[in-house]
Amino acid sequence: MIPLVKTNIPAREKMMPELEKILYRGYVAQGEQVEHFERAFETFVGKGHSLSVNSGTSALHIALILAGVQPDDEVISTALTAEPTNVAIKMMGAKIRYADVDYTTGNISPKSIESNINKSTKAIMVVDYAGIPINVPAIQAISLKYKIPVIQDAAHALGAKFNGSKTGNHFQYTVFSFQAIKQLTTIDGGMLQIESKEEYERAKLIRWFGIDKKLSRLENNIQFQGYKYHMNNVNATIGLVQLAEIYSILNSHIDNGKYYDHELQAIPGVELVDYYPGSEPAYWLYTLKVENREGFIRKLADNGIAASELHKRNDWHSYLNDFHTELPNLDKFYDKLVHLPCGWWITVENRDHIVNTIKAGW
Ligand SMILES: Cc1ncc(COP(=O)(O)O)c(C=O)c1O
């Protein structure tokens, strides 16, 4: 079966010497390698400050704290995402106010964000679902107009771009996940890209019990709630080895994605997803809309191809459904949504086989 997702581990000859060095150096906790990984990631993104953490979920939690979200505040979010996006909002004791999606892209609709803003709104959570960039300029304009911070959950969108600049350059807070099946994996881990230097310094304290690592334990005076969210030297070492070859991974996702964009046009029963002008998807997964999704998934499975909708829309979890909002565009989109395997493991033969299977009908 051609899998929908797969873990990428660089070649043994590259990974094992580095891992061996760090494992037996005597210091595996947060140290020099973590610092190297953060600075290398900053260079990759090109702007802002990179705070490494033990998961994307921890990065979301810290971002929500920095954004000033308090219990009973509202955060506008999307239901088309993985659960951590919205579970993190609930970790704050806040309420999730779902905005609808744009039917053409599946991403959160700026118009719907604006119509859901009220006096309890403290933050806007946006997701580049499956690696398709959100409508960056429209969301930036709303953030500016209402002075509401934006948290961009870019767990699927490492290396995506908008108007030529990489994801991580556009909002106050951008979250990346380095969990097992992401383009870059540290086995588990994440990064919070923070625009402001001052907030970055505060985030370092939140990441580690509220303790300032620059001072001795006795000199410290904890003044607010912190957590144990740091990355360690072992995960950071894996991250550095991954980062050294990240462009070849990202480019193979993009190459396969563009191939599907071209080859799957004008097939009866297939509706391609649109991308906002100026956006360049990361194609973590390939997203499309199909008639008779069940039949489509069955046909592909019969031909050795794993395809699926992957995520359950989050408003269908009762704990994540605070306001029972009508989401008519998401209803239509989710009915037809399906993902195809698109990553670095898809060979030229694989993608031809996938396209030909779809062209044969289901
Ligand atoms: C959209 C999205 N946000 C957040 C996360 C959370 O990341 P992590 O698993 O690293 O905590 C994930 C996936 O794992 C995700 O898919």
Side-chain angles (χ1 to χ4, degrees):
M1 188 73 111
I2 301 171
L4 183 58
V5 292
K6 194 167 175 174
T7 300
N8 170 46
I9 303 290
R12 180 172 268 107
E13 310 79 65
K14 287 187 184 156
M15 184 63 88
M16 295 321 284
E18 295 304 317
L19 265 181
E20 198 169 324
K21 259 192 268 168
I22 197 65
L23 283 172
Y24 295 102
R25 194 185 284 167
Y27 196 81
V28 290
Q30 184 195 336
E32 223 173 285
Q33 293 303 100
V34 171
E35 186 69 23
H36 289 328
F37 182 44
E38 290 182 343
R39 303 297 73 83
F41 195 80
E42 261 168 24
T43 306
F44 170 83
V45 172
K47 195 179 120 190
H49 310 276
S50 300
L51 183 90
S52 64
V53 282
N54 58 359
S55 73
T57 307
S58 305
L60 286 166
H61 190 192
I62 296 177
L64 285 155
I65 295 168
L66 293 175
V69 174
Q70 299 285 333
D72 295 326
D73 285 342
E74 290 184 16
V75 177
I76 294 176
S77 183
T78 177
L80 188 61
T81 183
E83 289 82 357
T85 311
N86 291 310
V87 169
I89 296 171
K90 300 292 281 189
M91 283 161 73
M92 306 299 299
K95 296 201 167 72
I96 305 160
R97 172 78 66 181
Y98 287 119
D100 205 354
V101 300
D102 283 332
Y103 175 72
T104 49
T105 65
N107 278 339
I108 194 163
S109 149
K111 217 166 131 197
S112 180
I113 292 176
E114 196 160 9
S115 67
N116 275 290
I117 290 175
N118 63 50
K119 59 181 185 335
S120 299
T121 310
K122 270 292 159 55
I124 299 166
M125 178 75 81
V126 296
V127 179
D128 308 270
Y129 187 64
I132 298 172
I134 44 161
N135 188 343
V136 169
I139 295 168
Q140 282 172 331
I142 292 170
S143 174
L144 213 64
K145 180 172 168 190
Y146 294 93
K147 299 193 171 38
I148 299 173
V150 172
I151 299 162
Q152 180 176 22
D153 181 344
H156 301 169
L158 186 73
K161 289 185 182 164
F162 211 107
N163 290 339
S165 77
K166 282 191 189 123
T167 299
N169 280 277
H170 306 131
F171 296 101
Q172 291 93 330
Y173 315 107
T174 310
V175 168
F176 296 98
S177 163
F178 304 143
Q179 169 267 352
I181 56 172
K182 300 301 179 341
Q183 291 97 325
L184 188 159
T185 178
T186 56
I187 311 307
D188 258 318
M191 197 70 86
L192 176 58
Q193 194 69 15
I194 305 172
E195 208 171 61
S196 136
K197 170 84 171 134
E198 206 183 315
E199 287 192 283
Y200 168 67
E201 292 300 332
R202 198 159 91 81
K204 280 200 226 175
L205 305 184
I206 298 169
R207 172 175 66 178
W208 207 61
F209 305 116
I211 294 175
D212 187 343
K213 273 186 167 281
K214 293 195 291 299
L215 304 174
S216 76
R217 271 305 225 270
L218 291 180
E219 286 169 312
N220 258 283
N221 173 27
I222 294 176
Q223 299 186 58
F224 47 77
Q225 183 66 50
Y227 300 85
K228 189 174 190 285
Y229 281 169
H230 68 279
M231 183 175 274
N232 62 52
N233 272 351
V234 180
N235 296 106
T237 297
I238 297 172
L240 279 163
V241 177
Q242 294 257 357
L243 199 55
E245 52 188 53
I246 193 64
Y247 284 105
S248 88
I249 299 297
L250 297 178
N251 289 339
S252 58
H253 282 253
I254 292 168
D255 186 55
N256 288 329
K258 287 187 169 165
Y259 180 81
Y260 292 138
D261 281 342
H262 186 258
E263 294 297 318
L264 296 176
Q265 288 174 39
I267 298 175
V270 170
E271 210 179 316
L272 294 188
V273 164
D274 272 348
Y275 310 124
Y276 298 107
S279 70
E280 298 176 46
Y283 299 99
W284 177 53
L285 306 169
Y286 190 78
T287 306
L288 73 167
K289 293 175 273 183
V290 295
E291 300 296 336
N292 177 19
R293 177 176 54 194
E294 219 175 291
F296 180 92
I297 291 173
R298 202 176 323 111
K299 170 75 187 285
L300 266 63
D302 289 346
N303 285 273
I305 305 156
S308 90
E309 63 271 57
L310 196 63
H311 293 116
K312 174 171 172 166
R313 47 184 280 188
N314 284 190
D315 57 329
W316 286 359
H317 292 286
S318 41
Y319 182 63
L320 302 179
N321 193 353
D322 292 320
F323 294 110
H324 301 278
T325 318
E326 298 283 312
L327 302 168
N329 285 345
L330 181 59
D331 294 342
K332 276 195 294 171
F333 189 92
Y334 194 75
D335 240 20
K336 297 181 177 178
L337 165 72
V338 71
H339 297 294
L340 300 176
C342 183
W344 54 270
W345 62 97
I346 301 301
T347 62
V348 167
E349 293 73 34
N350 286 159
R351 70 190 196 185
D352 279 342
H353 173 57
I354 292 170
V355 166
N356 290 334
T357 306
I358 295 171
K359 280 184 174 163
W362 58 96

